[in-house]
Amino acid sequence: MPKPIRLNAFEMNCVAHQSPGLWRHPRDRSRDYKKLDYWIDLSKTLERGLFDGLFLADVLGVYDVFGGNAEAALRHGTQTPVNDPLLLVPAMATATSHLGFGVTVNLSYEPPYAFARRMSTLDHLTGGRIGWNIVTGYLDSAAQGAGKPKQTAHDDRYAIAEDYMTAVYKLWEESWADDAVVADARAGVFTDPSRVRRIRHDGPHFRIDALHLSEPSPQRTPVLYQAGTSPAGRDFAARHAECIFMSGPSRKVIAPRVAAIREAAARLGRDPSGILMFTLLTVIVAPTDAEAQAKLAEYRRYADPEGALTLMSGWTGIDFSKLDPDAIVQHVENEAGRSALENITRADPDRTWTVREVAEHVSIGGIGPVIVGSPATVADELEAWVDETGIDGFNLAFAVRPETFRDVVDFLVPELQRRGRYKTAYRKGTLREKLFGGSARLPPDHTGANYRQVWQAIEAV
Ligand SMILES: Cc1cc2nc3c(=O)[nH]c(=O)nc-3n(C[C@H](O)[C@H](O)[C@H](O)COP(=O)(O)O)c2cc1C
């Protein structure tokens, strides 16, 4: 039985996510990002296509590295304006029954106590379909919005994230026993106080002396997603992530990252095949190869190379406006994300990139590849990606919204199903059960599961 292929949709509560300029396409609905009916329609389409999840990216700052100010980001609409991703979820959860929601929340700017309650609330409201993409940010502009002169140094962000994770695991896993809520109307007891513990966390960066405010939600800890592939990011992912997002332009770039994270997880005593990895990719599919190529050519007319370099500047911390379009991009080390630059400088020793090539490539689907063709052509490519890199599936970006996702659902999904590489029904249960089988709660080999042992210890006395 070949390994099944999993699909996530990669979206953002903004206009130009990974394909700057395409908002101008006459069939594109990006301008409706402020309307719930766009999100509700999208979630229904994705559920019709049995997508595992809708992944909502987020940033808390503007892409002001290109040109040294926010002008380009504002003019091109590159992930600015951007609204809060979490607030979209309840409406979409009402319109669907199975689709998971992976929401991005940057832990650098929000204390763990209030954040843990927001996620518990969403886990309750979605019936256990919530996931958290753990990010620490890469934009100085986000730090400035939070009153800091610039973002914390790259590896220090991951050290702070470690402490944050300990704090939220304690709140989600350790504060309330499963049977704390008795709702005994006759006795007049809603919660048994002996079954709720005060969390005392005194870490290097965060302190908590409080009860978690929410009763246990279906999954307690949301499904944990992470997307760092630098050495520090990889260690963090190996410890905490249940699903990992990556992005790179080719299989050659992605395959060693997949292997490195699985090795790191195994060293930590986790089942390496139990971590699901998704790589960024854009699919342009139509009934025939020729129609798909024509569609891509038509999309390209709306692509916006300067918008692409505005994104790239934000991801890498390098001001691409200062570089000659025909210059080869060189590696530098800074405090922004590390893998975004690695992708085009060091990850493939046989490939160099000029600024112009980066601008053209990134303008549709970001740094991920664009796979174009008939359902059979695209399915062949996706199978090759999975078989050659060891990834589990794809984080699909859109070119034209929601057309790209509708095409995948209508053309590609049936082809993958015919090949026995795509599910024909959702599994029952929470997002964690759908993704991994097993329990709604963190698996026993996950570091966060250690925190629930406190109740087992109390019960054993
Ligand atoms: C597919 C993908 C999606 C990401 N989404 C977000 C996001 O929504 N918000 C964010 O701040 N960072 C996002 N990141 C950035 C990562 O969280 C991380 O900062 C980046 O990959 C660099 O990590 P590294 O320096 O450890 O490689 C994303 C990265 C990838 C590969």
Side-chain angles (χ1 to χ4, degrees):
M1 171 75 179
K3 184 159 138 177
I5 294 177
R6 298 172 170 281
L7 298 180
N8 259 310
F10 192 28
E11 263 277 9
M12 191 162 177
N13 197 357
C14 68
V15 177
H17 181 208
Q18 301 283 314
S19 301
L22 273 293
W23 63 270
R24 298 171 297 177
H25 189 285
R27 291 195 300 277
D28 186 88
R29 282 194 68 194
S30 285
R31 270 170 268 202
D32 291 342
Y33 81 96
K34 306 178 300 271
K35 297 184 182 156
L36 275 179
D37 81 292
Y38 168 75
W39 296 101
I40 289 169
D41 285 354
L42 175 69
S43 63
K44 287 179 174 167
T45 301
L46 299 175
E47 186 156 286
R48 182 163 65 81
L50 305 176
F51 274 54
D52 285 314
L54 169 62
F55 167 39
L56 291 165
D58 191 36
V59 287
L60 274 173
V62 66
Y63 283 70
D64 60 2
V65 178
F66 186 89
N69 59 53
E71 266 180 42
L74 291 167
R75 198 170 330 107
H76 300 287
T78 40
Q79 303 191 359
T80 316
V82 56
N83 280 347
D84 189 306
L86 273 63
L87 297 175
L88 300 174
V89 171
M92 293 191 286
T94 309
T96 54
S97 308
H98 298 284
L99 186 69
F101 302 98
V103 291
T104 300
V105 179
N106 187 333
L107 57 74
S108 300
Y109 307 112
E110 175 156 354
Y113 178 62
F115 166 71
R117 183 177 71 156
R118 289 221 323 288
M119 292 306 275
S120 295
T121 306
L122 281 178
D123 201 44
H124 280 298
L125 295 179
T126 59
R129 287 191 277 148
I130 200 75
W132 172 31
N133 178 35
I134 310 163
V135 304
T136 62
Y138 45 78
L139 293 167
D140 281 335
S141 60
Q144 286 152 10
K148 299 177 184 176
K150 60 185 170 68
Q151 63 189 320
T152 306
H154 181 273
D155 287 5
D156 294 347
R157 295 203 294 275
Y158 282 112
I160 295 169
E162 273 303 323
D163 191 28
Y164 198 100
M165 294 310 294
T166 304
V168 290
Y169 288 140
K170 287 181 179 174
L171 291 162
W172 285 325
E173 300 287 337
E174 205 180 281
S175 187
W176 290 60
D178 279 335
D179 57 3
V181 172
V182 290
D184 183 341
R186 227 171 329 146
V189 177
F190 189 78
T191 300
D192 174 354
S194 72
R195 306 295 287 160
V196 182
R197 294 181 69 246
R198 193 176 180 92
I199 298 304
R200 293 197 170 83
H201 176 72
D202 191 5
H205 303 282
F206 301 100
R207 278 191 181 171
I208 297 171
D209 182 4
L211 310 177
H212 186 40
L213 289 171
S214 304
E215 64 179 273
S217 65
Q219 302 181 110
R220 285 186 179 253
T221 297
V223 173
L224 299 174
Y225 296 75
Q226 209 264 339
T229 39
S230 64
R234 218 181 277 161
D235 284 354
F236 183 88
R239 218 171 359 265
H240 300 285
E242 299 175 270
C243 298
I244 293 176
F245 291 138
M246 5 188 118
S247 59
S250 63
R251 293 175 219 162
K252 200 168 163 190
V253 169
I254 291 297
R257 292 183 185 161
V258 172
I261 291 180
R262 294 215 199 274
E263 272 164 34
R267 272 199 304 279
L268 292 170
R270 292 181 68 192
D271 170 9
S273 64
I275 300 179
L276 295 178
M277 307 214 190
F278 298 86
T279 198
L280 171 66
L281 192 140
T282 303
V283 165
I284 313 285
V285 61
T288 64
D289 285 338
E291 285 168 277
Q293 290 293 348
K295 202 183 269 188
L296 174 65
E298 193 224 350
Y299 289 173
R300 283 223 179 279
R301 299 217 313 268
Y302 297 90
D304 173 358
E306 191 172 291
L309 291 180
T310 306
L311 283 177
M312 206 51 200
S313 298
W315 293 330
T316 60
I318 293 173
D319 182 354
F320 276 78
S321 76
K322 294 217 172 94
L323 305 181
D324 178 334
D326 294 311
I328 306 257
V329 182
Q330 306 291 336
H331 198 79
V332 292
E333 201 89 318
N334 60 29
E335 301 306 341
R338 299 257 157 98
S339 324
L341 193 57
E342 288 263 352
N343 276 326
I344 52 164
T345 54
R346 302 201 290 210
D348 179 354
D350 300 326
R351 168 90 214 249
T352 56
W353 292 74
T354 64
V355 171
R356 198 187 301 280
E357 285 168 338
V358 172
E360 195 185 321
H361 177 89
V362 171
S363 64
I364 294 190
I367 197 66
V370 180
I371 310 287
V372 189
S374 67
T377 303
V378 173
D380 285 348
E381 271 289 303
L382 297 197
E383 286 192 280
W385 266 82
V386 168
D387 298 343
E388 288 173 28
T389 64
I391 50 159
D392 300 281
F394 302 96
N395 206 17
L396 295 183
F398 61 84
V400 167
R401 198 180 188 187
E403 180 170 291
T404 306
F405 295 122
R406 251 195 332 249
D407 289 346
V408 166
V409 170
D410 291 337
F411 300 125
L412 177 62
V413 164
E415 176 65 25
L416 291 173
Q417 285 171 327
R418 253 192 304 280
R419 295 176 182 211
R421 301 230 41 179
Y422 196 79
K423 61 180 158 321
T424 51
Y426 282 108
R427 277 195 192 133
K428 281 197 171 52
T430 60
L431 177 58
R432 185 170 283 114
E433 289 161 290
K434 285 182 171 47
L435 290 172
F436 303 102
S439 155
R441 304 283 163 83
L442 281 172
D445 64 351
H446 190 283
T447 183
N450 294 329
Y451 295 92
R452 55 177 185 249
Q453 284 170 7
V454 77
W455 286 108
Q456 288 152 13
I458 290 169
E459 276 144 24
V461 174

